[in-house]
Amino acid sequence: MSATFDKRPLQSNTQAKGNFFHKIKDAFKLIKPENNKESLNTKPSPLAVSSKLAAEPRPRKRALLIAVTYKGTKYELKGTINDVTLMKAWLIDTFGFKPENLLILTVVFKEYEADKELKPTKENIQNGMKWLMDDCHAGDSLVFFFSGHGLRQPDFEGDERDGFDETICPVDYIEKGMIFDNEIYNTIVRPLPKGVTLHGIVDACHSGTVLDLSYVYNRDTNTWIDNSPPSGAKKDTSGGLAITITACRDDQMAADTDAFSKADMKMSGALTHTLTSHVNKGQEITYRELLDRIYRSIEEADQQGCFATRFFRTLFHDRLLQKPQLSASKPFDVYQKKFVL
């Protein structure tokens, strides 16, 4: 369910990132802006790998950042543009990513009309994932970021332990369809060569295992849980390491909220805001410490009653059920391994 609620005292305007999308009949409407301003993207578009990029000394850092607003529908999200803006600045300022190595797929309404090839359509996201993986070599650090709606669909192939596939929703998913976890895995996880690290950061509902990684970290028991297909088939990389930090478990919903921006009431994804605010330039932090900090921030906002409106809290039994998840293609020591992009 995704809806906009009126703000109430001591509460924030909160939306859920995806659910019951099969009922949506709204057409996606693009609003032509009056003024063209500089976009979030760098020009020219890096959808085609440039000679400059190919000539860079290794190790390289490259990121695909996707934000979908679903403008013109009753399931519009207000915080995804803020999410991708936060993520862009965070990658550049904290981890030294170069602007020309960021591919950003989004549409910023009332600011500029995005070039056709930069909109978060299904085809462009698919091409963006291929661009992310192109010519990977040992030492490369890759980031896949998505902020938008996520859904669950019945699994008819028998490769999901919970019986559901997870998906992300492009801006044109009604016409073109969703992107399933199997496709994401096959495109950006399975081909990862030895020495390459991929971080998937997904701020969406039902996103826990959206990259189909084989292990999910259980924070309560401090153990890695086997998430491989029930058939026994292995979903491995080609030697590289894939790690995801996602907004919630597969059976949960994620918040698009202004709970963390009381000064300007700016909407953002709960995961994106907490993640980017807990890792600063030059700071060393382990995956376990980072996960704990994200949990604490979300739980504190929830306990203070500023995370959801009255209706939302009633719907979820007075608690916002959002438990960020850490997954990996192979287990590692979360108390020792440092979070580095």
Side-chain angles (χ1 to χ4, degrees):
M1 181 179 297
S2 181
T4 301
F5 302 100
D6 294 333
K7 295 177 182 177
R8 306 175 191 273
L10 300 181
Q11 298 172 331
S12 73
N13 187 16
T14 302
Q15 297 171 289
K17 293 189 169 185
N19 207 349
F20 308 119
F21 263 44
H22 60 284
K23 296 181 180 178
I24 298 179
K25 297 181 180 179
D26 309 66
F28 288 102
K29 300 177 181 178
L30 300 183
I31 298 178
K32 187 174 182 179
E34 296 180 359
N35 300 309
N36 283 330
K37 297 184 179 180
E38 183 179 357
S39 77
L40 288 171
N41 251 301
T42 55
K43 301 294 180 82
S45 168
L47 273 174
V49 179
S50 67
S51 58
K52 179 180 178 181
L53 180 63
E56 274 195 358
R58 303 185 187 282
R60 291 186 315 197
K61 296 187 177 186
R62 190 187 303 180
L64 172 62
L65 311 180
I66 307 162
V68 193
T69 65
Y70 312 96
K71 184 75 173 183
T73 77
K74 63 181 178 179
Y75 294 105
E76 177 183 349
L77 290 173
K78 302 290 187 180
T80 57
I81 298 300
N82 296 327
D83 287 346
V84 82
T85 302
L86 277 173
M87 188 59 58
K88 175 186 177 182
W90 187 60
L91 291 177
I92 293 172
D93 298 339
T94 305
F95 296 103
F97 280 68
K98 295 182 179 180
E100 61 266 25
N101 290 350
L102 305 180
L103 173 56
I104 302 176
L105 303 181
T106 191
V107 177
V108 181
F109 293 93
K110 299 182 180 178
E111 290 189 8
Y112 78 102
E113 185 173 17
D115 294 339
K116 182 178 180 181
E117 71 270 16
L118 301 182
K119 294 177 182 177
T121 63
K122 181 176 182 178
E123 181 179 8
N124 287 341
I125 293 174
Q126 291 169 325
N127 288 335
M129 290 192 292
K130 295 174 183 176
W131 167 85
L132 185 66
M133 299 303 300
D134 186 74
D135 194 31
C136 289
H137 287 71
D140 289 1
S141 175
L142 311 177
V143 174
F144 172 82
F145 173 76
F146 177 83
S147 179
H149 282 301
L151 294 173
R152 306 177 83 197
Q153 299 294 309
D155 166 39
F156 296 107
E157 298 179 4
D159 64 351
E160 295 285 347
R161 289 184 175 269
D162 61 358
F164 290 92
D165 283 307
E166 288 68 50
T167 72
I168 59 175
C169 298
V171 68
D172 59 348
Y173 86 95
I174 293 179
E175 297 83 9
K176 302 296 184 179
M178 295 169 282
I179 297 178
F180 280 68
D181 49 6
N182 292 328
E183 180 178 357
I184 299 175
Y185 164 79
N186 285 325
T187 308
I188 65 174
V189 176
R190 184 176 57 81
L192 274 177
K194 184 177 181 179
V196 177
T197 301
L198 166 72
H199 280 86
I201 302 171
V202 183
D203 204 334
C205 291
H206 312 299
S207 56
T209 62
V210 73
L211 266 66
D212 264 0
L213 302 187
S214 296
Y215 298 93
V216 178
Y217 179 69
N218 186 316
R219 179 170 171 264
D220 295 328
T221 62
N222 189 31
T223 57
W224 287 95
I225 307 300
D226 185 5
N227 185 55
S228 58
S231 63
K234 293 294 184 181
K235 283 202 167 182
D236 295 327
T237 68
S238 296
L241 175 63
I243 300 171
T244 62
I245 298 177
T246 56
C248 58
R249 296 198 313 248
D250 289 337
D251 60 346
Q252 294 178 331
M253 299 171 72
D256 193 35
T257 179
D258 58 15
F260 299 102
S261 304
K262 287 301 181 181
D264 53 13
M265 305 301 285
K266 184 179 290 186
M267 299 286 283
S268 64
L271 173 68
T272 302
H273 189 281
T274 54
L275 174 63
T276 56
S277 62
H278 284 307
V279 182
N280 301 314
K281 186 175 182 179
Q283 178 186 18
E284 287 193 351
I285 185 172
T286 66
Y287 282 85
R288 174 67 195 214
E289 185 178 3
L290 176 58
L291 192 62
D292 287 346
R293 290 185 182 185
I294 293 173
Y295 262 78
R296 283 197 298 269
S297 294
I298 293 177
E299 288 172 350
E300 287 172 3
D302 188 20
Q303 290 168 1
Q304 292 170 7
C306 63
F307 220 164
T309 60
R310 182 182 305 167
F311 174 80
F312 210 67
R313 298 184 78 83
T314 300
L315 181 64
F316 292 111
H317 308 290
D318 203 40
R319 295 289 295 174
L320 182 65
L321 303 180
Q322 178 171 349
K323 301 294 184 182
Q325 299 293 294
L326 173 67
S327 302
S329 55
K330 58 183 178 182
F332 58 85
D333 188 341
V334 297
Y335 287 95
Q336 294 295 323
K337 188 174 179 62
K338 304 294 185 181
F339 177 78
V340 178
L341 299 180

